[in-house]
Amino acid sequence: MGYKNNQMGYNKDLLHSRSVIKRGNYALIPHDGLVKNVIPGFEQCEVTVLGSPKLGASFVDYIINMLPGGKNTRGFGAEGVQTFVYVVKGSLKVSDDEESHELTTGGYAYFPAGKLMYLENLANEDTEIFLYKKRYEPLEGYEAHKVVGNVNDLEAIHYEDMEDVLFWNLLPTDNLGFDMNFHVLTFKQGASHGYVETHVQEHGAYILSGEGMYNLDNEWMPVEKGDYIFMGAYAPQAAYAIGRGEPLSYVYSKDCNRDPII
């Protein structure tokens, strides 16, 4: 199962954290500093709010550990708000007012704006999910639609022609009805971005496996499984994988297909 903050009482060491917060620019929130939040509608769930407008993001990200029997009873989302869920580990039922879908590890679902998302843990053990919401930016003549899938059923793409960096698109890339996308990016040991990227898009990323070094606004810092990274618009960013274990892999959002508003 994923990482949870089970710290009770005093730590044996001096208080310290790898957390770095630069509001509106970037943030690194390590797994060992997560704090649980009470969110109406979530029952038997350990919820942490990660990225949000208070951090400078245009979206909200959550990491949720759903205990056995855990569910959302009020419906997640709202009028004008689109939602996305990714199963980090476990078994999840996701449904709207019309149909239900069963997702396992690597499964995901996107619901367009205005369609409420209901969630329920189907396992007899904890299920961990990465949850996202963002206000939808309409484009005349186009609209988004529900998408349900599993990353394990998709064909990997060599990221920018690099054979040791693999990339999966979770949502359609050729439909202007979508103003955002979700991806999984995986670096094999020793692999990296080809260059330090600087762009208008912002990201919220949850690290699924491995260890690495991440460049955030030209500050290199260690990251590992269970960490969360917010990358604001124009924050220089790049990563490379280190360690001898699993590859460095993360799921992340990206705004797209819209002209910046002035």
Side-chain angles (χ1 to χ4, degrees):
M1 188 45 56
Y3 287 93
K4 298 182 291 181
N5 181 7
N6 293 319
Q7 176 69 38
M8 299 294 290
Y10 289 113
N11 196 313
K12 295 181 180 179
D13 302 317
L14 293 174
L15 294 179
H16 65 278
S17 174
R18 291 185 293 112
S19 180
V20 180
I21 307 296
K22 304 289 184 179
R23 286 179 175 81
N25 189 7
Y26 70 87
L28 168 63
I29 303 177
H31 54 80
D32 56 2
L34 300 183
V35 175
K36 301 170 188 175
N37 305 115
V38 175
I39 304 296
F42 287 93
E43 300 178 359
Q44 292 295 104
C45 293
E46 298 171 339
V47 182
T48 294
V49 178
L50 298 168
S52 77
K54 290 185 176 182
L55 186 61
S58 65
F59 52 81
V60 182
D61 282 331
Y62 311 75
I63 190 68
I64 302 177
N65 187 57
M66 305 182 77
L67 305 174
K71 56 187 175 181
N72 178 285
T73 58
R74 295 170 59 97
F76 179 70
E79 188 65 32
V81 175
Q82 58 195 323
T83 58
F84 182 93
V85 63
Y86 182 90
V87 181
V88 177
K89 187 173 182 180
S91 181
L92 179 75
K93 181 172 80 171
V94 58
S95 58
D96 53 25
D97 293 330
E98 299 174 355
E99 58 184 340
S100 299
H101 309 272
E102 294 186 10
L103 306 179
T104 55
T105 301
Y108 59 88
Y110 167 86
F111 282 12
K115 187 174 286 291
L116 293 180
M117 176 182 286
Y118 297 91
L119 306 164
E120 181 179 352
N121 182 9
L122 294 178
N124 293 323
E125 56 186 8
D126 295 359
T127 286
E128 185 182 17
I129 62 172
F130 183 64
L131 190 62
Y132 164 100
K133 68 179 181 182
K134 176 182 178 291
R135 186 158 295 280
Y136 180 66
E137 185 179 341
L139 181 64
E140 185 177 359
Y142 297 89
E143 62 181 17
H145 57 81
K146 182 167 68 173
V147 178
V148 179
N150 191 298
V151 68
N152 298 302
D153 298 328
L154 303 179
E155 183 176 356
I157 301 168
H158 289 153
Y159 186 72
E160 298 186 343
D161 294 328
M162 295 182 288
E163 293 186 359
D164 52 0
V165 184
L166 303 178
F167 182 72
W168 291 264
N169 292 309
L170 305 189
L171 299 180
T173 59
D174 57 355
N175 185 336
L176 294 180
F178 290 82
D179 70 346
M180 49 75 67
N181 207 324
F182 257 86
H183 312 282
V184 172
L185 187 59
T186 297
F187 299 86
K188 297 181 181 180
Q189 297 306 313
S192 71
H193 283 92
Y195 53 93
V196 177
E197 299 180 354
T198 305
H199 49 62
V200 67
Q201 291 84 10
E202 58 181 356
H203 303 310
Y206 184 73
I207 299 181
L208 301 170
S209 67
E211 299 172 296
M213 294 295 295
Y214 223 102
N215 183 329
L216 296 169
D217 201 9
N218 288 324
E219 295 288 338
W220 286 98
M221 54 197 72
V223 296
E224 63 183 5
K225 178 180 177 179
D227 287 355
Y228 174 79
I229 304 172
F230 165 66
M231 291 165 266
Y234 299 107
Q237 55 200 251
Y240 63 83
I242 60 175
R244 298 185 177 89
E246 299 176 305
L248 175 65
S249 182
Y250 53 87
V251 58
Y252 69 102
S253 61
K254 179 180 72 177
D255 47 302
C256 62
N257 296 335
R258 296 294 185 269
D259 190 14
I261 297 174
I262 59 172

